[in-house]
Amino acid sequence: CTFSRPVGPFASSGPEGFPNNGLALRKSGSQGRAYDISLNSMVALGAAYSLCWCNGTESSCSTEGDFRTRLGALHVAGPTALQRDSNMTCRTGLPCVIDHFAGHALEDGSRLVVLPADARGCLWRRASLADPMGLVDFPNLGVSEPYNKSLRTYSYYGVPLIMEGGVYNLCWCGPVRRTWNIAPGQQYRIPDGLT
């Protein structure tokens, strides 16, 4: 908690993917006992972030340096920056397995999806209801089996790929909290490389 950049909505930067440049807002009616980092889904890199506090009586809490008291670590599960910037390879005629996935606090149940190479990246959506929900030549429309934490792998049902080679977006989604199916382009918002 020893930074000196401005914080909040007028800051030029904060932790990548955090709303309000990483400044938590006091939860309504909490009298300062509860704060919200985001009311919406966050798309931040998997990492441990320092959670720092400013009491507001000794400073204006307008720069990172005003937040001197470290409260602990905030662990955000997901692909790391190293993973996001990497390229993964699968080969036509062989099953696709993504080994040694670089992530932070990953749990069984998270999945990957392979999406078309498109400027929208992980925000891709099919153009119309008549279009396929994902890559029809990729097993399970591009949605992987759940993450295997003990092996650190994502796999695609052991089925050989029978598709044309190319570059595709690879996106990550954390474990589902409810029992509902996730279709490609719905909840996979974190870019984690190319395949």
Side-chain angles (χ1 to χ4, degrees):
C1 296
T2 56
F3 304 99
S4 60
R5 299 177 301 199
V7 297
F10 304 109
S12 60
S13 69
E16 184 180 343
F18 280 78
N20 202 30
N21 292 309
L23 182 65
L25 302 175
R26 187 177 335 173
K27 197 168 191 162
S28 173
S30 73
Q31 292 145 353
R33 291 189 298 258
Y35 291 82
D36 286 320
I37 292 174
S38 177
L39 297 176
N40 301 313
S41 295
M42 265 184 13
V43 180
L45 292 170
Y49 297 88
S50 288
L51 196 55
C52 305
W53 182 74
C54 173
N55 71 11
T57 59
E58 296 177 12
S59 69
S60 64
C61 299
S62 59
T63 69
E64 291 173 342
D66 295 334
F67 293 78
R68 295 185 193 119
T69 305
R70 186 173 190 275
L71 299 178
L74 173 66
H75 292 275
V76 176
T80 62
L82 176 68
Q83 180 64 50
R84 179 203 54 200
D85 297 335
S86 67
N87 293 323
M88 311 305 288
T89 302
C90 290
R91 297 196 185 336
T92 298
L94 298 173
C96 182
V97 177
I98 307 293
D99 287 317
H100 310 295
F101 189 82
H104 181 79
L106 297 179
E107 291 295 326
D108 288 337
S110 62
R111 294 179 185 253
L112 297 178
V113 68
V114 179
L115 295 173
D118 184 280
R120 294 171 289 179
C122 294
L123 296 176
W124 175 87
R125 292 198 187 274
R126 60 188 174 160
S128 77
L129 291 176
D131 291 335
M133 293 177 65
L135 297 173
V136 293
D137 293 332
F138 214 93
N140 200 33
L141 297 174
V143 179
S144 74
E145 292 180 73
Y147 180 68
N148 185 320
K149 189 175 179 178
S150 62
L151 298 175
R152 291 184 52 216
T153 61
Y154 289 96
S155 62
Y156 289 86
Y157 303 93
V159 177
L161 294 178
I162 51 167
M163 64 185 301
E164 193 174 311
V167 176
Y168 300 89
N169 287 312
L170 186 61
C171 304
W172 179 86
C173 181
V176 178
R177 289 184 283 173
R178 298 181 196 102
T179 55
W180 46 281
N181 293 329
I182 294 179
Q186 298 286 320
Q187 297 295 325
Y188 298 85
R189 297 291 179 247
I190 301 182
D192 53 357
L194 299 172
T195 186

